[in-house]
Amino acid sequence: MLVDFGGQGQPIVLLHGLMGRARTWWCVTRWLTRHGKVLGFDARGHGRGPRGGPWTTEQFVTDAAEVVRSLDGPAVLIGHSMGGLHALGLAATHPELVRAVVVEDMAPDQRGRTVDAWRGYFESWPVPFQSLAHVREFFGDTGNYFAECVVERADGYHLMADLEELYEIAAEWGRRDYWSFVDRIRCPLLVIEAGDTAMPPGQQVEMAARVADGRHIAIEGTGHVVHDDAPEEYRAVVDAFLTQVAESAP
């Protein structure tokens, strides 16, 4: 499902992370509209997005390409975590569709990691949650984020995404690397790393260094959802980047 958050001009497409959906970006969209027409969409298996696999990075990139191709001109892509990976893939394989990319806290090589470390935590959640207040209380600092990722059923609130499908999506990241995407990027790239990232060390710095017009910043004191943990710092960095991208446009 495509969500139009408003604004005019250059399309800016928001790509959410694993378990998320387009509306998790709402707070960011309130100021992002000054840079263009802001849209988000629910990825396959997430939110109101299409159901069913294949659960490969290439399929997600194909889905994103179809969305961007329907817009007016190349887009700026802003992706968090999984969405950042898909943004890299789209810029690498369809450069004509992409004006610039922002990647938030995603590393291209997580080989050897498995989803087994996540299962116990995810499966310990008190689903169904009894209310949205229950969701916010349980997740604490990320409560507003996860409140966008649940749907009400007769017995309470459930995750909109299926955990088994999420495990399959993430399992691919532990089997392969995506440096080939990075090495094909020809547009401006901003990499925003969480100060307390769980990603393999050094890769996000290297990712920016491999791109001719790449830059990297780590925002201290932030966890994986940087745009929620440090909204003002995140805004300042992205504002400056998008202003530079606009000024360099032909």
Side-chain angles (χ1 to χ4, degrees), residues 194-211:
D196 300 320
T197 186
M199 294 292 147
Q203 289 193 25
Q204 296 185 71
V205 173
E206 182 180 353
M207 184 161 53
R210 288 197 186 196
V211 175

Side-chain angles (χ1 to χ4, degrees), residues 44-243:
R44 180 177 297 269
H46 294 72
R48 304 294 182 186
R51 315 325 279 184
W55 306 112
T56 64
T57 299
E58 282 72 18
Q59 181 62 62
F60 285 106
V61 169
T62 295
D63 293 343
E66 290 178 2
V67 170
V68 176
R69 195 174 286 114
S70 71
L71 305 177
D72 185 17
V76 171
L77 306 179
I78 300 179
H80 170 241
S81 191
M82 177 186 77
L85 173 61
H86 299 164
L88 290 171
L90 182 53
T93 58
H94 299 279
E96 75 283 358
L97 298 179
V98 182
R99 178 73 185 89
V101 174
V102 177
V103 173
E104 178 184 344
D105 208 45
M106 186 65 175
D109 187 354
Q110 301 182 56
R111 285 176 293 175
R113 294 188 171 190
T114 71
V115 298
D116 293 341
W118 305 355
R119 286 180 182 269
Y121 172 60
F122 288 159
E123 292 168 9
S124 73
W125 292 355
V127 178
F129 295 94
Q130 296 307 302
S131 68
L132 292 178
H134 186 195
V135 174
R136 293 187 175 97
E137 176 185 76
F138 180 81
F139 289 106
D141 290 344
T142 55
N144 286 334
Y145 180 93
F146 280 101
E148 297 287 356
C149 303
V150 295
V151 62
E152 186 176 16
R153 299 177 187 163
D155 60 344
Y157 288 84
H158 294 256
L159 294 172
M160 297 183 78
D162 180 272
L163 281 177
E164 290 302 322
E165 293 174 353
L166 300 184
Y167 295 148
E168 187 172 347
I169 293 165
E172 183 192 59
W173 306 341
R175 296 193 298 266
R176 57 183 288 199
D177 75 88
Y178 298 91
W179 286 114
S180 61
F181 284 167
V182 177
D183 291 337
R184 293 164 66 185
I185 301 296
R186 297 294 179 264
C187 64
L189 170 68
L190 171 63
V191 180
I192 301 175
E193 182 170 359
D196 300 320
T197 186
M199 294 292 147
Q203 289 193 25
Q204 296 185 71
V205 173
E206 182 180 353
M207 184 161 53
R210 288 197 186 196
V211 175
D213 192 1
R215 62 211 76 177
H216 166 273
I217 185 167
I219 299 182
E220 295 304 317
T222 59
H224 187 51
V225 188
V226 181
H227 62 266
D228 277 354
D229 286 356
E232 294 305 318
E233 293 90 336
Y234 179 90
R235 175 178 179 172
V237 171
V238 175
D239 264 338
F241 176 70
L242 295 183
T243 297

Side-chain angles (χ1 to χ4, degrees), residues 3-88:
V3 180
D4 186 341
F5 291 106
Q8 295 182 339
Q10 173 179 257
I12 301 173
V13 177
L14 302 170
L15 306 177
H16 62 77
L18 189 71
M19 200 177 296
R21 61 185 301 211
R23 296 189 190 279
T24 59
W25 287 104
W26 187 84
C27 289
V28 171
T29 68
R30 297 306 83 203
W31 54 264
L32 193 57
T33 51
R34 68 183 288 265
H35 293 284
K37 184 174 181 60
V38 180
L39 305 115
F41 74 98
D42 293 348
R44 180 177 297 269
H46 294 72
R48 304 294 182 186
R51 315 325 279 184
W55 306 112
T56 64
T57 299
E58 282 72 18
Q59 181 62 62
F60 285 106
V61 169
T62 295
D63 293 343
E66 290 178 2
V67 170
V68 176
R69 195 174 286 114
S70 71
L71 305 177
D72 185 17
V76 171
L77 306 179
I78 300 179
H80 170 241
S81 191
M82 177 186 77
L85 173 61
H86 299 164
L88 290 171

